[in-house]
Amino acid sequence: MLPPTFTTARARQAGLPSRDLATLVSEGAAIELSRGVYRQSDAPETAHLDLLAVHTRASHAVVCGESALALHELIDDIPAAVHIAVPRGTRRPAISYPPTVVAQYAAKTFDLNIEQYEAAPGEFVPVYDAARSVVDAMRHRNRIGHTLALAALGRYLRTSGPDGVGDLQRIARELHALSVIRPAVEAVLA
């Protein structure tokens, strides 16, 4: 039995030869999401097929950057690519479709604040939590844009409740980014 989203290798393990997989695709019983990644046509609908495709191809990666900010509804933009992070020193996945941006994060802080996001019923992808995503946006504001980073910070502070600032400071301390976060938070709250 195949899961809703699966690879060619997983189909072979389940006893489905390549020609039968090709027949499933040509008959519309499965769709190809990315090279070697398929989804059963009768699987539950989701708006996150791109996340499932990238996660299936790069299961060691974590959704980050603009993609994480959008999932946490901290920005209104719809990212043009799936943004993922892998630990520095590991192989960078080469995924041309869906468009993917790969960042490398320090191995010692890579696992900080990862949570599981349900991209489809019963299918989860790892994503940095809202606080980590905001700190990363502020750290990389020159790359993603000051306006986008500050908008995400402002929305986070409005929606995170009384623990929001403390969570940001705790993560910023771990990532050596307090000098960036502290003045930005003060400016937004002023």
Side-chain angles (χ1 to χ4, degrees), residues 108-114 128 132 170-171 174-175:
K108 72 177 192 174
T109 58
F110 180 79
D111 292 328
L112 276 177
N113 293 65
I114 296 173
Y128 287 116
R132 165 79 189 252
R170 183 181 52 75
I171 295 159
E174 295 271 352
L175 297 173

Side-chain angles (χ1 to χ4, degrees), residues 4-5 39-47 49 52 119-123:
T5 306
R39 183 158 177 87
Q40 295 182 30
S41 297
D42 60 356
E45 288 190 26
T46 176
L49 291 176
L52 290 171
E123 294 181 272

Side-chain angles (χ1 to χ4, degrees), residues 60-147:
H60 66 293
V62 176
V63 176
C64 68
E66 293 174 49
S67 296
L69 293 172
L71 287 177
H72 294 300
E73 298 179 359
L74 295 172
I75 59 172
D76 294 326
D77 302 32
I78 297 172
V82 177
H83 294 254
I84 58 173
V86 296
R88 197 168 288 128
T90 62
R91 186 184 66 77
R92 293 171 60 98
I95 302 171
S96 58
Y97 187 83
T100 306
V101 174
V102 181
Q104 289 189 312
Y105 286 4
K108 72 177 192 174
T109 58
F110 180 79
D111 292 328
L112 276 177
N113 293 65
I114 296 173
E115 61 186 25
Q116 296 297 315
Y117 180 81
E118 192 168 18
E123 294 181 272
F124 296 85
V125 297
V127 61
Y128 287 116
D129 73 3
R132 165 79 189 252
S133 298
V134 169
V135 171
D136 285 341
M138 293 303 298
R139 289 172 52 216
H140 304 296
R141 64 196 178 284
N142 290 333
R143 190 174 346 136
I144 73 166
H146 289 267
T147 305

Side-chain angles (χ1 to χ4, degrees), residues 1-7 10-11 14 38-40 43 123:
M1 177 89 177
L2 289 171
T5 306
F6 60 94
T7 62
R10 179 75 171 87
Y38 301 88
R39 183 158 177 87
Q40 295 182 30
E123 294 181 272

